[in-house]
Amino acid sequence: LKTKLDKPKETDSSNDIINADEAALFTGLSIHTIRKKTSLGNIPFHKLPKSSTVRYSKSELTKWMKQGNGKTKTSLLGNIADGIRNKNK
């Protein structure tokens, strides 16, 4: 009988690489926005050698979002509302 302990552990780096659908879920952006930002080079991505396959790194996406990129409509609307509230004080 094989147990979970017998299976090789996945490293953090193997969990870091995701596809476009997963990148959309991870960032909260639509798949359309992910693909558009990829084609414009506005999001960190990696193209596999000799392939049109694109992959994303969760750690790079996290860093990219922390720099103020990848804002969703909801977060932008929240920022606008916060600005209005602060202006009225």
PDB file of all heavy atoms in Angstrom, residues 16-38 43-45 54-58 61-62 64-65 70-73:
ATOM      1  N   ASP A  16       4.129  26.898  -8.583  1.00  0.00           N
ATOM      2  CA  ASP A  16       4.192  28.307  -8.937  1.00  0.00           C
ATOM      3  C   ASP A  16       3.765  28.566 -10.381  1.00  0.00           C
ATOM      4  O   ASP A  16       3.280  29.633 -10.695  1.00  0.00           O
ATOM      5  CB  ASP A  16       5.620  28.819  -8.706  1.00  0.00           C
ATOM      6  CG  ASP A  16       5.738  30.319  -8.852  1.00  0.00           C
ATOM      7  OD1 ASP A  16       5.044  31.041  -8.109  1.00  0.00           O
ATOM      8  OD2 ASP A  16       6.514  30.770  -9.712  1.00  0.00           O
ATOM      9  N   ILE A  17       3.926  27.596 -11.255  1.00  0.00           N
ATOM     10  CA  ILE A  17       3.664  27.786 -12.683  1.00  0.00           C
ATOM     11  C   ILE A  17       2.212  27.433 -12.990  1.00  0.00           C
ATOM     12  O   ILE A  17       1.742  26.344 -12.661  1.00  0.00           O
ATOM     13  CB  ILE A  17       4.617  26.927 -13.537  1.00  0.00           C
ATOM     14  CG1 ILE A  17       6.076  27.223 -13.170  1.00  0.00           C
ATOM     15  CG2 ILE A  17       4.357  27.153 -15.020  1.00  0.00           C
ATOM     16  CD1 ILE A  17       6.481  28.677 -13.305  1.00  0.00           C
ATOM     17  N   ILE A  18       1.513  28.388 -13.632  1.00  0.00           N
ATOM     18  CA  ILE A  18       0.087  28.204 -13.920  1.00  0.00           C
ATOM     19  C   ILE A  18      -0.226  28.620 -15.355  1.00  0.00           C
ATOM     20  O   ILE A  18       0.556  29.318 -16.000  1.00  0.00           O
ATOM     21  CB  ILE A  18      -0.790  29.014 -12.932  1.00  0.00           C
ATOM     22  CG1 ILE A  18      -0.423  30.504 -12.973  1.00  0.00           C
ATOM     23  CG2 ILE A  18      -0.662  28.453 -11.522  1.00  0.00           C
ATOM     24  CD1 ILE A  18      -1.288  31.377 -12.073  1.00  0.00           C
ATOM     25  N   ASN A  19      -1.386  28.185 -15.840  1.00  0.00           N
ATOM     26  CA  ASN A  19      -1.816  28.550 -17.192  1.00  0.00           C
ATOM     27  C   ASN A  19      -2.665  29.828 -17.143  1.00  0.00           C
ATOM     28  O   ASN A  19      -2.877  30.402 -16.074  1.00  0.00           O
ATOM     29  CB  ASN A  19      -2.552  27.385 -17.863  1.00  0.00           C
ATOM     30  CG  ASN A  19      -3.834  27.025 -17.163  1.00  0.00           C
ATOM     31  OD1 ASN A  19      -4.494  27.851 -16.532  1.00  0.00           O
ATOM     32  ND2 ASN A  19      -4.219  25.755 -17.267  1.00  0.00           N
ATOM     33  N   ALA A  20      -3.168  30.249 -18.287  1.00  0.00           N
ATOM     34  CA  ALA A  20      -3.920  31.506 -18.382  1.00  0.00           C
ATOM     35  C   ALA A  20      -5.220  31.481 -17.565  1.00  0.00           C
ATOM     36  O   ALA A  20      -5.554  32.464 -16.901  1.00  0.00           O
ATOM     37  CB  ALA A  20      -4.219  31.835 -19.841  1.00  0.00           C
ATOM     38  N   ASP A  21      -5.934  30.364 -17.607  1.00  0.00           N
ATOM     39  CA  ASP A  21      -7.178  30.264 -16.830  1.00  0.00           C
ATOM     40  C   ASP A  21      -6.895  30.393 -15.336  1.00  0.00           C
ATOM     41  O   ASP A  21      -7.607  31.085 -14.610  1.00  0.00           O
ATOM     42  CB  ASP A  21      -7.886  28.941 -17.104  1.00  0.00           C
ATOM     43  CG  ASP A  21      -8.467  28.863 -18.513  1.00  0.00           C
ATOM     44  OD1 ASP A  21      -8.887  29.918 -19.037  1.00  0.00           O
ATOM     45  OD2 ASP A  21      -8.503  27.761 -19.071  1.00  0.00           O
ATOM     46  N   GLU A  22      -5.838  29.722 -14.890  1.00  0.00           N
ATOM     47  CA  GLU A  22      -5.466  29.794 -13.482  1.00  0.00           C
ATOM     48  C   GLU A  22      -4.959  31.192 -13.114  1.00  0.00           C
ATOM     49  O   GLU A  22      -5.220  31.684 -12.022  1.00  0.00           O
ATOM     50  CB  GLU A  22      -4.399  28.740 -13.164  1.00  0.00           C
ATOM     51  CG  GLU A  22      -4.915  27.322 -13.299  1.00  0.00           C
ATOM     52  CD  GLU A  22      -3.823  26.277 -13.341  1.00  0.00           C
ATOM     53  OE1 GLU A  22      -2.752  26.541 -13.938  1.00  0.00           O
ATOM     54  OE2 GLU A  22      -4.039  25.187 -12.780  1.00  0.00           O
ATOM     55  N   ALA A  23      -4.275  31.838 -14.053  1.00  0.00           N
ATOM     56  CA  ALA A  23      -3.792  33.209 -13.818  1.00  0.00           C
ATOM     57  C   ALA A  23      -4.973  34.165 -13.660  1.00  0.00           C
ATOM     58  O   ALA A  23      -4.932  35.083 -12.839  1.00  0.00           O
ATOM     59  CB  ALA A  23      -2.885  33.660 -14.958  1.00  0.00           C
ATOM     60  N   ALA A  24      -6.021  33.939 -14.439  1.00  0.00           N
ATOM     61  CA  ALA A  24      -7.220  34.766 -14.318  1.00  0.00           C
ATOM     62  C   ALA A  24      -7.842  34.606 -12.937  1.00  0.00           C
ATOM     63  O   ALA A  24      -8.189  35.597 -12.278  1.00  0.00           O
ATOM     64  CB  ALA A  24      -8.224  34.410 -15.414  1.00  0.00           C
ATOM     65  N   LEU A  25      -7.977  33.374 -12.476  1.00  0.00           N
ATOM     66  CA  LEU A  25      -8.525  33.126 -11.139  1.00  0.00           C
ATOM     67  C   LEU A  25      -7.623  33.702 -10.058  1.00  0.00           C
ATOM     68  O   LEU A  25      -8.098  34.304  -9.095  1.00  0.00           O
ATOM     69  CB  LEU A  25      -8.696  31.625 -10.909  1.00  0.00           C
ATOM     70  CG  LEU A  25      -9.810  30.941 -11.687  1.00  0.00           C
ATOM     71  CD1 LEU A  25      -9.735  29.430 -11.507  1.00  0.00           C
ATOM     72  CD2 LEU A  25     -11.166  31.461 -11.250  1.00  0.00           C
ATOM     73  N   PHE A  26      -6.320  33.539 -10.227  1.00  0.00           N
ATOM     74  CA  PHE A  26      -5.349  33.986  -9.234  1.00  0.00           C
ATOM     75  C   PHE A  26      -5.348  35.505  -9.089  1.00  0.00           C
ATOM     76  O   PHE A  26      -5.273  36.035  -7.987  1.00  0.00           O
ATOM     77  CB  PHE A  26      -3.951  33.483  -9.626  1.00  0.00           C
ATOM     78  CG  PHE A  26      -2.880  33.807  -8.646  1.00  0.00           C
ATOM     79  CD1 PHE A  26      -2.779  33.104  -7.459  1.00  0.00           C
ATOM     80  CD2 PHE A  26      -1.957  34.809  -8.911  1.00  0.00           C
ATOM     81  CE1 PHE A  26      -1.778  33.399  -6.542  1.00  0.00           C
ATOM     82  CE2 PHE A  26      -0.965  35.107  -8.002  1.00  0.00           C
ATOM     83  CZ  PHE A  26      -0.869  34.398  -6.811  1.00  0.00           C
ATOM     84  N   THR A  27      -5.462  36.229 -10.212  1.00  0.00           N
ATOM     85  CA  THR A  27      -5.396  37.689 -10.186  1.00  0.00           C
ATOM     86  C   THR A  27      -6.753  38.358 -10.016  1.00  0.00           C
ATOM     87  O   THR A  27      -6.824  39.531  -9.669  1.00  0.00           O
ATOM     88  CB  THR A  27      -4.775  38.239 -11.485  1.00  0.00           C
ATOM     89  OG1 THR A  27      -5.597  37.841 -12.595  1.00  0.00           O
ATOM     90  CG2 THR A  27      -3.353  37.743 -11.679  1.00  0.00           C
ATOM     91  N   GLY A  28      -7.832  37.625 -10.317  1.00  0.00           N
ATOM     92  CA  GLY A  28      -9.161  38.227 -10.279  1.00  0.00           C
ATOM     93  C   GLY A  28      -9.497  38.965 -11.560  1.00  0.00           C
ATOM     94  O   GLY A  28     -10.517  39.644 -11.637  1.00  0.00           O
ATOM     95  N   LEU A  29      -8.652  38.820 -12.563  1.00  0.00           N
ATOM     96  CA  LEU A  29      -8.904  39.440 -13.862  1.00  0.00           C
ATOM     97  C   LEU A  29      -9.614  38.442 -14.767  1.00  0.00           C
ATOM     98  O   LEU A  29      -9.552  37.233 -14.541  1.00  0.00           O
ATOM     99  CB  LEU A  29      -7.578  39.869 -14.508  1.00  0.00           C
ATOM    100  CG  LEU A  29      -6.757  40.900 -13.741  1.00  0.00           C
ATOM    101  CD1 LEU A  29      -5.392  41.071 -14.391  1.00  0.00           C
ATOM    102  CD2 LEU A  29      -7.491  42.224 -13.657  1.00  0.00           C
ATOM    103  N   SER A  30     -10.269  38.934 -15.802  1.00  0.00           N
ATOM    104  CA  SER A  30     -10.931  38.027 -16.741  1.00  0.00           C
ATOM    105  C   SER A  30      -9.876  37.358 -17.617  1.00  0.00           C
ATOM    106  O   SER A  30      -8.764  37.868 -17.783  1.00  0.00           O
ATOM    107  CB  SER A  30     -11.920  38.800 -17.622  1.00  0.00           C
ATOM    108  OG  SER A  30     -11.212  39.628 -18.532  1.00  0.00           O
ATOM    109  N   ILE A  31     -10.232  36.232 -18.192  1.00  0.00           N
ATOM    110  CA  ILE A  31      -9.314  35.538 -19.101  1.00  0.00           C
ATOM    111  C   ILE A  31      -8.996  36.430 -20.300  1.00  0.00           C
ATOM    112  O   ILE A  31      -7.867  36.443 -20.793  1.00  0.00           O
ATOM    113  CB  ILE A  31      -9.862  34.152 -19.523  1.00  0.00           C
ATOM    114  CG1 ILE A  31      -8.835  33.362 -20.327  1.00  0.00           C
ATOM    115  CG2 ILE A  31     -11.153  34.281 -20.303  1.00  0.00           C
ATOM    116  CD1 ILE A  31      -7.603  32.967 -19.562  1.00  0.00           C
ATOM    117  N   HIS A  32      -9.986  37.196 -20.748  1.00  0.00           N
ATOM    118  CA  HIS A  32      -9.769  38.122 -21.859  1.00  0.00           C
ATOM    119  C   HIS A  32      -8.693  39.154 -21.491  1.00  0.00           C
ATOM    120  O   HIS A  32      -7.795  39.442 -22.290  1.00  0.00           O
ATOM    121  CB  HIS A  32     -11.077  38.829 -22.228  1.00  0.00           C
ATOM    122  CG  HIS A  32     -10.895  39.911 -23.242  1.00  0.00           C
ATOM    123  ND1 HIS A  32     -10.708  39.644 -24.579  1.00  0.00           N
ATOM    124  CD2 HIS A  32     -10.843  41.262 -23.106  1.00  0.00           C
ATOM    125  CE1 HIS A  32     -10.547  40.796 -25.228  1.00  0.00           C
ATOM    126  NE2 HIS A  32     -10.635  41.779 -24.357  1.00  0.00           N
ATOM    127  N   THR A  33      -8.766  39.701 -20.293  1.00  0.00           N
ATOM    128  CA  THR A  33      -7.793  40.697 -19.845  1.00  0.00           C
ATOM    129  C   THR A  33      -6.406  40.068 -19.725  1.00  0.00           C
ATOM    130  O   THR A  33      -5.406  40.689 -20.127  1.00  0.00           O
ATOM    131  CB  THR A  33      -8.224  41.318 -18.508  1.00  0.00           C
ATOM    132  OG1 THR A  33      -9.494  41.954 -18.701  1.00  0.00           O
ATOM    133  CG2 THR A  33      -7.227  42.333 -18.001  1.00  0.00           C
ATOM    134  N   ILE A  34      -6.327  38.858 -19.201  1.00  0.00           N
ATOM    135  CA  ILE A  34      -5.034  38.163 -19.091  1.00  0.00           C
ATOM    136  C   ILE A  34      -4.413  37.994 -20.472  1.00  0.00           C
ATOM    137  O   ILE A  34      -3.236  38.305 -20.684  1.00  0.00           O
ATOM    138  CB  ILE A  34      -5.204  36.784 -18.404  1.00  0.00           C
ATOM    139  CG1 ILE A  34      -5.595  36.952 -16.936  1.00  0.00           C
ATOM    140  CG2 ILE A  34      -3.940  35.934 -18.547  1.00  0.00           C
ATOM    141  CD1 ILE A  34      -4.508  37.529 -16.043  1.00  0.00           C
ATOM    142  N   ARG A  35      -5.206  37.529 -21.431  1.00  0.00           N
ATOM    143  CA  ARG A  35      -4.685  37.312 -22.792  1.00  0.00           C
ATOM    144  C   ARG A  35      -4.281  38.632 -23.454  1.00  0.00           C
ATOM    145  O   ARG A  35      -3.256  38.702 -24.131  1.00  0.00           O
ATOM    146  CB  ARG A  35      -5.712  36.567 -23.631  1.00  0.00           C
ATOM    147  CG  ARG A  35      -5.929  35.140 -23.165  1.00  0.00           C
ATOM    148  CD  ARG A  35      -6.900  34.384 -24.071  1.00  0.00           C
ATOM    149  NE  ARG A  35      -7.403  33.188 -23.459  1.00  0.00           N
ATOM    150  CZ  ARG A  35      -6.772  32.019 -23.440  1.00  0.00           C
ATOM    151  NH1 ARG A  35      -5.613  31.904 -24.001  1.00  0.00           N
ATOM    152  NH2 ARG A  35      -7.330  30.966 -22.854  1.00  0.00           N
ATOM    153  N   LYS A  36      -5.074  39.679 -23.239  1.00  0.00           N
ATOM    154  CA  LYS A  36      -4.768  40.986 -23.822  1.00  0.00           C
ATOM    155  C   LYS A  36      -3.467  41.537 -23.231  1.00  0.00           C
ATOM    156  O   LYS A  36      -2.589  42.005 -23.963  1.00  0.00           O
ATOM    157  CB  LYS A  36      -5.932  41.950 -23.546  1.00  0.00           C
ATOM    158  CG  LYS A  36      -5.760  43.329 -24.096  1.00  0.00           C
ATOM    159  CD  LYS A  36      -6.055  43.366 -25.563  1.00  0.00           C
ATOM    160  CE  LYS A  36      -6.107  44.801 -26.036  1.00  0.00           C
ATOM    161  NZ  LYS A  36      -6.385  44.893 -27.438  1.00  0.00           N
ATOM    162  N   LYS A  37      -3.335  41.482 -21.906  1.00  0.00           N
ATOM    163  CA  LYS A  37      -2.122  41.978 -21.253  1.00  0.00           C
ATOM    164  C   LYS A  37      -0.905  41.158 -21.675  1.00  0.00           C
ATOM    165  O   LYS A  37       0.188  41.690 -21.800  1.00  0.00           O
ATOM    166  CB  LYS A  37      -2.287  41.967 -19.733  1.00  0.00           C
ATOM    167  CG  LYS A  37      -3.226  43.056 -19.225  1.00  0.00           C
ATOM    168  CD  LYS A  37      -3.283  43.078 -17.710  1.00  0.00           C
ATOM    169  CE  LYS A  37      -4.173  44.191 -17.198  1.00  0.00           C
ATOM    170  NZ  LYS A  37      -3.661  45.521 -17.461  1.00  0.00           N
ATOM    171  N   THR A  38      -1.103  39.879 -21.912  1.00  0.00           N
ATOM    172  CA  THR A  38      -0.011  39.028 -22.385  1.00  0.00           C
ATOM    173  C   THR A  38       0.430  39.461 -23.770  1.00  0.00           C
ATOM    174  O   THR A  38       1.624  39.637 -24.022  1.00  0.00           O
ATOM    175  CB  THR A  38      -0.434  37.543 -22.396  1.00  0.00           C
ATOM    176  OG1 THR A  38      -0.809  37.166 -21.073  1.00  0.00           O
ATOM    177  CG2 THR A  38       0.687  36.657 -22.888  1.00  0.00           C
ATOM    178  N   ILE A  43       2.049  42.030 -18.694  1.00  0.00           N
ATOM    179  CA  ILE A  43       1.947  41.110 -17.563  1.00  0.00           C
ATOM    180  C   ILE A  43       3.127  40.145 -17.676  1.00  0.00           C
ATOM    181  O   ILE A  43       3.521  39.784 -18.789  1.00  0.00           O
ATOM    182  CB  ILE A  43       0.589  40.359 -17.599  1.00  0.00           C
ATOM    183  CG1 ILE A  43       0.338  39.591 -16.323  1.00  0.00           C
ATOM    184  CG2 ILE A  43       0.473  39.464 -18.805  1.00  0.00           C
ATOM    185  CD1 ILE A  43      -1.078  39.033 -16.212  1.00  0.00           C
ATOM    186  N   PRO A  44       3.729  39.750 -16.548  1.00  0.00           N
ATOM    187  CA  PRO A  44       4.849  38.805 -16.652  1.00  0.00           C
ATOM    188  C   PRO A  44       4.365  37.422 -17.087  1.00  0.00           C
ATOM    189  O   PRO A  44       3.393  36.898 -16.546  1.00  0.00           O
ATOM    190  CB  PRO A  44       5.415  38.769 -15.224  1.00  0.00           C
ATOM    191  CG  PRO A  44       4.346  39.291 -14.340  1.00  0.00           C
ATOM    192  CD  PRO A  44       3.477  40.178 -15.168  1.00  0.00           C
ATOM    193  N   PHE A  45       5.020  36.865 -18.096  1.00  0.00           N
ATOM    194  CA  PHE A  45       4.671  35.539 -18.599  1.00  0.00           C
ATOM    195  C   PHE A  45       5.904  34.886 -19.197  1.00  0.00           C
ATOM    196  O   PHE A  45       6.916  35.539 -19.418  1.00  0.00           O
ATOM    197  CB  PHE A  45       3.543  35.620 -19.640  1.00  0.00           C
ATOM    198  CG  PHE A  45       3.947  36.253 -20.938  1.00  0.00           C
ATOM    199  CD1 PHE A  45       4.391  35.469 -21.999  1.00  0.00           C
ATOM    200  CD2 PHE A  45       3.890  37.621 -21.112  1.00  0.00           C
ATOM    201  CE1 PHE A  45       4.763  36.054 -23.201  1.00  0.00           C
ATOM    202  CE2 PHE A  45       4.258  38.215 -22.310  1.00  0.00           C
ATOM    203  CZ  PHE A  45       4.700  37.433 -23.353  1.00  0.00           C
ATOM    204  N   VAL A  54       1.855  29.520 -23.304  1.00  0.00           N
ATOM    205  CA  VAL A  54       2.268  30.558 -22.362  1.00  0.00           C
ATOM    206  C   VAL A  54       1.956  30.083 -20.946  1.00  0.00           C
ATOM    207  O   VAL A  54       0.913  29.482 -20.701  1.00  0.00           O
ATOM    208  CB  VAL A  54       1.521  31.882 -22.663  1.00  0.00           C
ATOM    209  CG1 VAL A  54       1.807  32.935 -21.617  1.00  0.00           C
ATOM    210  CG2 VAL A  54       1.903  32.386 -24.043  1.00  0.00           C
ATOM    211  N   ARG A  55       2.858  30.363 -20.022  1.00  0.00           N
ATOM    212  CA  ARG A  55       2.654  30.045 -18.618  1.00  0.00           C
ATOM    213  C   ARG A  55       2.978  31.282 -17.781  1.00  0.00           C
ATOM    214  O   ARG A  55       3.672  32.184 -18.212  1.00  0.00           O
ATOM    215  CB  ARG A  55       3.552  28.885 -18.166  1.00  0.00           C
ATOM    216  CG  ARG A  55       3.201  27.562 -18.808  1.00  0.00           C
ATOM    217  CD  ARG A  55       1.863  27.066 -18.291  1.00  0.00           C
ATOM    218  NE  ARG A  55       1.526  25.757 -18.819  1.00  0.00           N
ATOM    219  CZ  ARG A  55       0.620  25.544 -19.740  1.00  0.00           C
ATOM    220  NH1 ARG A  55      -0.035  26.545 -20.280  1.00  0.00           N
ATOM    221  NH2 ARG A  55       0.340  24.327 -20.143  1.00  0.00           N
ATOM    222  N   TYR A  56       2.443  31.295 -16.570  1.00  0.00           N
ATOM    223  CA  TYR A  56       2.611  32.425 -15.652  1.00  0.00           C
ATOM    224  C   TYR A  56       3.166  31.899 -14.331  1.00  0.00           C
ATOM    225  O   TYR A  56       2.916  30.763 -13.956  1.00  0.00           O
ATOM    226  CB  TYR A  56       1.266  33.106 -15.409  1.00  0.00           C
ATOM    227  CG  TYR A  56       0.614  33.552 -16.697  1.00  0.00           C
ATOM    228  CD1 TYR A  56      -0.160  32.675 -17.438  1.00  0.00           C
ATOM    229  CD2 TYR A  56       0.801  34.844 -17.178  1.00  0.00           C
ATOM    230  CE1 TYR A  56      -0.744  33.066 -18.628  1.00  0.00           C
ATOM    231  CE2 TYR A  56       0.215  35.237 -18.372  1.00  0.00           C
ATOM    232  CZ  TYR A  56      -0.548  34.347 -19.094  1.00  0.00           C
ATOM    233  OH  TYR A  56      -1.108  34.732 -20.285  1.00  0.00           O
ATOM    234  N   SER A  57       3.895  32.737 -13.647  1.00  0.00           N
ATOM    235  CA  SER A  57       4.431  32.394 -12.337  1.00  0.00           C
ATOM    236  C   SER A  57       3.621  33.124 -11.278  1.00  0.00           C
ATOM    237  O   SER A  57       3.480  34.352 -11.332  1.00  0.00           O
ATOM    238  CB  SER A  57       5.900  32.821 -12.265  1.00  0.00           C
ATOM    239  OG  SER A  57       6.339  32.888 -10.940  1.00  0.00           O
ATOM    240  N   LYS A  58       3.088  32.381 -10.300  1.00  0.00           N
ATOM    241  CA  LYS A  58       2.301  33.008  -9.236  1.00  0.00           C
ATOM    242  C   LYS A  58       3.130  34.041  -8.491  1.00  0.00           C
ATOM    243  O   LYS A  58       2.624  35.119  -8.166  1.00  0.00           O
ATOM    244  CB  LYS A  58       1.805  31.956  -8.244  1.00  0.00           C
ATOM    245  CG  LYS A  58       0.677  31.101  -8.737  1.00  0.00           C
ATOM    246  CD  LYS A  58       0.248  30.160  -7.621  1.00  0.00           C
ATOM    247  CE  LYS A  58      -0.806  29.191  -8.046  1.00  0.00           C
ATOM    248  NZ  LYS A  58      -1.179  28.280  -6.953  1.00  0.00           N
ATOM    249  N   LEU A  61       3.387  37.110 -10.641  1.00  0.00           N
ATOM    250  CA  LEU A  61       2.091  37.797 -10.690  1.00  0.00           C
ATOM    251  C   LEU A  61       1.815  38.527  -9.380  1.00  0.00           C
ATOM    252  O   LEU A  61       1.299  39.650  -9.383  1.00  0.00           O
ATOM    253  CB  LEU A  61       0.963  36.804 -10.989  1.00  0.00           C
ATOM    254  CG  LEU A  61       0.940  36.217 -12.403  1.00  0.00           C
ATOM    255  CD1 LEU A  61      -0.126  35.134 -12.508  1.00  0.00           C
ATOM    256  CD2 LEU A  61       0.722  37.294 -13.444  1.00  0.00           C
ATOM    257  N   THR A  62       2.179  37.906  -8.258  1.00  0.00           N
ATOM    258  CA  THR A  62       1.991  38.548  -6.953  1.00  0.00           C
ATOM    259  C   THR A  62       2.808  39.836  -6.877  1.00  0.00           C
ATOM    260  O   THR A  62       2.292  40.883  -6.471  1.00  0.00           O
ATOM    261  CB  THR A  62       2.400  37.590  -5.816  1.00  0.00           C
ATOM    262  OG1 THR A  62       1.570  36.440  -5.882  1.00  0.00           O
ATOM    263  CG2 THR A  62       2.255  38.256  -4.464  1.00  0.00           C
ATOM    264  N   TRP A  64       3.880  41.617  -9.385  1.00  0.00           N
ATOM    265  CA  TRP A  64       3.304  42.525 -10.376  1.00  0.00           C
ATOM    266  C   TRP A  64       2.074  43.230  -9.807  1.00  0.00           C
ATOM    267  O   TRP A  64       1.906  44.433  -9.955  1.00  0.00           O
ATOM    268  CB  TRP A  64       2.961  41.706 -11.620  1.00  0.00           C
ATOM    269  CG  TRP A  64       2.292  42.420 -12.735  1.00  0.00           C
ATOM    270  CD1 TRP A  64       2.858  43.297 -13.613  1.00  0.00           C
ATOM    271  CD2 TRP A  64       0.917  42.302 -13.122  1.00  0.00           C
ATOM    272  NE1 TRP A  64       1.920  43.721 -14.521  1.00  0.00           N
ATOM    273  CE2 TRP A  64       0.731  43.129 -14.240  1.00  0.00           C
ATOM    274  CE3 TRP A  64      -0.151  41.575 -12.633  1.00  0.00           C
ATOM    275  CZ2 TRP A  64      -0.501  43.248 -14.882  1.00  0.00           C
ATOM    276  CZ3 TRP A  64      -1.372  41.688 -13.265  1.00  0.00           C
ATOM    277  CH2 TRP A  64      -1.540  42.512 -14.374  1.00  0.00           C
ATOM    278  N   MET A  65       1.214  42.465  -9.110  1.00  0.00           N
ATOM    279  CA  MET A  65       0.005  43.054  -8.524  1.00  0.00           C
ATOM    280  C   MET A  65       0.354  44.002  -7.372  1.00  0.00           C
ATOM    281  O   MET A  65      -0.284  45.040  -7.208  1.00  0.00           O
ATOM    282  CB  MET A  65      -0.951  41.963  -8.049  1.00  0.00           C
ATOM    283  CG  MET A  65      -1.604  41.220  -9.208  1.00  0.00           C
ATOM    284  SD  MET A  65      -2.876  40.030  -8.703  1.00  0.00           S
ATOM    285  CE  MET A  65      -1.940  38.849  -7.782  1.00  0.00           C
ATOM    286  N   GLY A  70      -2.591  45.100 -12.589  1.00  0.00           N
ATOM    287  CA  GLY A  70      -3.597  44.052 -12.502  1.00  0.00           C
ATOM    288  C   GLY A  70      -4.780  44.385 -11.631  1.00  0.00           C
ATOM    289  O   GLY A  70      -5.403  43.503 -11.079  1.00  0.00           O
ATOM    290  N   LYS A  71      -5.082  45.661 -11.503  1.00  0.00           N
ATOM    291  CA  LYS A  71      -6.226  46.041 -10.672  1.00  0.00           C
ATOM    292  C   LYS A  71      -7.529  45.653 -11.354  1.00  0.00           C
ATOM    293  O   LYS A  71      -7.711  45.871 -12.531  1.00  0.00           O
ATOM    294  CB  LYS A  71      -6.202  47.533 -10.387  1.00  0.00           C
ATOM    295  CG  LYS A  71      -5.028  47.934  -9.524  1.00  0.00           C
ATOM    296  CD  LYS A  71      -5.069  49.392  -9.195  1.00  0.00           C
ATOM    297  CE  LYS A  71      -3.889  49.734  -8.284  1.00  0.00           C
ATOM    298  NZ  LYS A  71      -3.835  51.140  -7.987  1.00  0.00           N
ATOM    299  N   THR A  72      -8.413  45.090 -10.576  1.00  0.00           N
ATOM    300  CA  THR A  72      -9.724  44.724 -11.100  1.00  0.00           C
ATOM    301  C   THR A  72     -10.649  45.939 -11.042  1.00  0.00           C
ATOM    302  O   THR A  72     -10.363  46.915 -10.351  1.00  0.00           O
ATOM    303  CB  THR A  72     -10.339  43.584 -10.274  1.00  0.00           C
ATOM    304  OG1 THR A  72     -10.541  44.058  -8.944  1.00  0.00           O
ATOM    305  CG2 THR A  72      -9.454  42.354 -10.254  1.00  0.00           C
ATOM    306  N   LYS A  73     -11.755  45.859 -11.753  1.00  0.00           N
ATOM    307  CA  LYS A  73     -12.732  46.948 -11.717  1.00  0.00           C
ATOM    308  C   LYS A  73     -13.213  47.195 -10.294  1.00  0.00           C
ATOM    309  O   LYS A  73     -13.382  48.319  -9.868  1.00  0.00           O
ATOM    310  CB  LYS A  73     -13.927  46.626 -12.623  1.00  0.00           C
ATOM    311  CG  LYS A  73     -13.627  46.695 -14.090  1.00  0.00           C
ATOM    312  CD  LYS A  73     -14.855  46.330 -14.905  1.00  0.00           C
ATOM    313  CE  LYS A  73     -14.513  46.253 -16.374  1.00  0.00           C
ATOM    314  NZ  LYS A  73     -15.644  45.791 -17.173  1.00  0.00           N
TER     315      LYS A  73
END
